[in-house]
Amino acid sequence: WRMTGIIFFGLLAIALLYAAFVIIWPFLTAILLGVIIVTLTFPTFRRVRDRMHGKSSRAATVMLIAITLLIVIPFTIIAILLMQQANMVFQRMQSLDAQQILHRIDISSHLQWIRKIAPNFDPATLSPERLILPAVREIPAWVAAHGAAVVGGVAGLMLELALVLLSMFFFYVEGEAILEQLTTLSPLPSRYDREFGTKFKEVIDATFLGQTASALAQGIATGIGLAIAQVPGAAFWGAVATVLGLLPMVGAAIVWVPAAIYLFIAASMGQRGYWSPIFLTIWGLLVVSLIDNVVRPLVMRGKSELPAIPLLFAVLGGMQAFGFVGLVIGPLVFSLLMTIIDIYKRTFRLRRSESEVA
C-alpha cells in the first residue's frame, strides 16, 4: 500500500506540474525576462533594500521605476525619431516633386550589362518609379486595413511589459525565499545546488555582457561605415544602432539599410558617386551583420566556459527555438549540461577510487 501511495502521489504531482506548465506557458517569456533582469540587478536591489531598512517591497518599487526609465525612455525616443523620419520620407515620396525625381532616376542604363548574362532580364523592372511608388501608394490602404492589428500589437507589447514588471517585483521580494525552497526540495547535495546557482548567474552575466559588447561593436561599425560613406549625422545614427543592437530581432540593419538605399538614390541622381552606397552595402553585410557573431562568443567564452563555436551554436539555436529569451536559454542549457557532466565525472571518479581502495 505504501508503494501504491507513492505511485499515486507521483502521478498526481506530474499531472499538476504539467497543468501548471500549460497555464504558465503563454507568460513564460515575460517570466524568464523578469528572472534575467532580477538576476542581473539583484546586487543593486540589496543595496537599495539596505538603505530602506530592509523594506523589500519599497526597494522593489524603486528598482522597477529606475529600470523602466532606463529601458523604456531611450527606446521610446528612438522609436519616435524613426517614426518621424519615416513619416517625413513618406510625405516626400507622396509629393509630385519626389515622383518626378524618381522618374528621372535612370538605373536601367547602368544594368544593361546583365543582358549579356541573362538575355531575358529587363532592367526597367528595377526602376525606382516601378518599385517604390506603387508601394508608397499602398501604404495608406495597408494602414487602414491593418490599423487594428498594429494597435493590438502595441497593446500586447504594453501588456508584456507589465507582466515582466510584475514578475520582477515578485522575484525581487520572494527570490531569496524561492531559492531556499528549491534548495530544500533538491535531492542533490548542497555543494551541487550552489554550483548550479553559480553557473546560472555566470551564464546570465556573460549573456548580458556579450549582448552589450555586440551592440556596442555593431554601433561603432555602423558609425564608421556611415562616416566613410559620408552620411550626415554618422555619429548619432551609430549611437542609435548601438541601442537597437541590444534587440536581437531588430539590430543595426534598421539604420544602415535605409542609409544605403538613400545613397543609391542620390548616386542615381548624380549627387554623389556609386562607391558610397556599394561600400556601405558591403560593409553592412560583411562587417556590421557578422561582427556580433565574433564579438559575442569571444566576450562570453570566459564566463560561460563553453568553446567559441559551440557557444555560437547555442546562442543561434536558442534564439531559433525560443525567440528572444533563447539568447539566454541556449547558453544556459549547454552550460548546465556541462556542469551535470562534470558532476557525474567527479562522482564516478570518487566511487571508482573508493572501490579500488576497498
Side-chain angles (χ1 to χ4, degrees):
W1 286 107
R2 185 178 179 183
M3 181 60 66
T4 304
I6 292 174
I7 294 174
F8 175 77
F9 179 82
L11 293 176
L12 181 62
I14 292 173
L16 292 176
L17 286 174
Y18 176 75
F21 177 78
V22 172
I23 293 172
I24 293 177
W25 175 255
F27 316 106
L28 189 62
T29 300
I31 294 173
L32 290 176
L33 285 176
V35 171
I36 292 169
I37 298 174
V38 168
T39 304
L40 289 170
T41 59
F42 202 79
T44 304
F45 167 75
R46 282 177 174 170
R47 290 193 291 268
V48 174
R49 185 177 58 184
D50 292 339
R51 294 200 172 187
M52 294 188 171
H53 309 289
K55 303 287 186 180
S56 297
S57 299
R58 292 183 182 179
T61 303
V62 172
M63 290 295 298
L64 293 183
I65 294 173
I67 292 173
T68 302
L69 294 177
L70 289 175
I71 294 178
V72 174
I73 290 180
F75 283 105
T76 301
I77 293 175
I78 291 176
I80 292 174
L81 290 174
L82 293 176
M83 290 176 61
Q84 288 178 347
Q85 293 292 327
N87 186 45
M88 186 183 303
V89 171
F90 173 72
Q91 290 179 353
R92 290 182 178 178
M93 295 302 299
Q94 290 279 24
S95 66
L96 182 61
D97 294 338
Q99 297 179 22
Q100 293 176 352
I101 291 173
L102 289 176
H103 182 71
R104 292 199 301 267
I105 296 177
D106 186 15
I107 294 180
S108 58
S109 61
H110 299 284
L111 300 177
Q112 294 296 331
W113 58 273
I114 300 181
R115 285 181 173 273
K116 298 179 181 179
I117 304 174
N120 296 327
F121 173 73
D122 184 11
T125 57
L126 299 180
S127 171
E129 189 176 9
R130 291 188 180 183
L131 294 176
I132 298 176
L133 288 181
V136 171
R137 295 190 183 101
E138 291 294 329
I139 289 178
W142 186 91
V143 172
H146 299 84
V150 172
V151 174
V154 174
L157 184 62
M158 298 301 295
L159 177 61
E160 191 81 10
L161 178 61
L163 293 175
V164 171
L165 294 177
L166 287 174
S167 64
M168 287 171 57
F169 183 87
F170 175 76
F171 290 121
Y172 274 134
V173 176
E174 303 292 343
E176 293 170 320
I178 292 174
L179 290 178
E180 292 180 2
Q181 293 297 324
L182 290 176
T183 303
T184 303
L185 294 173
S186 174
L188 297 175
S190 298
R191 63 181 184 276
Y192 292 156
D193 292 332
R194 290 192 295 269
E195 189 171 345
F196 278 116
T198 302
K199 181 61 63 177
F200 183 83
K201 180 70 165 60
E202 288 178 352
V203 170
I204 289 181
D205 290 342
T207 303
F208 176 76
L209 184 61
Q211 187 64 21
T212 303
S214 172
L216 183 61
Q218 280 190 327
I220 293 175
T222 301
I224 292 174
L226 294 176
I228 295 175
Q230 299 178 354
V231 175
F236 169 76
W237 290 111
V240 172
T242 300
V243 177
L244 295 177
L246 295 171
L247 305 176
M249 301 301 178
V250 180
I254 287 185
V255 175
W256 68 263
V257 170
I261 295 174
Y262 161 77
L263 293 176
F264 270 112
I265 294 176
S268 300
M269 297 174 60
Q271 297 179 357
R272 58 173 67 216
Y274 274 96
W275 71 269
S276 56
I278 294 175
F279 163 78
L280 186 58
T281 302
I282 297 175
W283 181 270
L285 293 175
L286 298 183
V287 178
V288 178
S289 298
L290 299 179
I291 195 171
D292 62 325
N293 296 327
V294 177
V295 173
R296 185 186 291 112
L298 290 177
V299 173
M300 294 177 62
R301 183 176 55 183
K303 291 190 176 183
S304 64
E305 298 182 1
L306 286 176
I309 295 179
L311 179 60
L312 177 61
F313 281 108
V315 172
L316 297 179
M319 293 178 60
Q320 180 71 24
F322 300 100
F324 176 78
V325 294
L327 186 69
V328 177
I329 294 178
L332 181 62
V333 169
F334 273 63
S335 297
L336 293 180
L337 177 61
M338 296 297 294
T339 303
I340 291 176
I341 294 173
D342 184 61
I343 290 174
Y344 174 78
K345 289 192 298 184
R346 281 181 288 168
T347 305
F348 181 77
R349 288 173 183 171
L350 179 62
R351 290 182 177 178
R352 186 171 64 177
S353 63
E354 291 176 352
S355 62
E356 289 176 354
V357 171

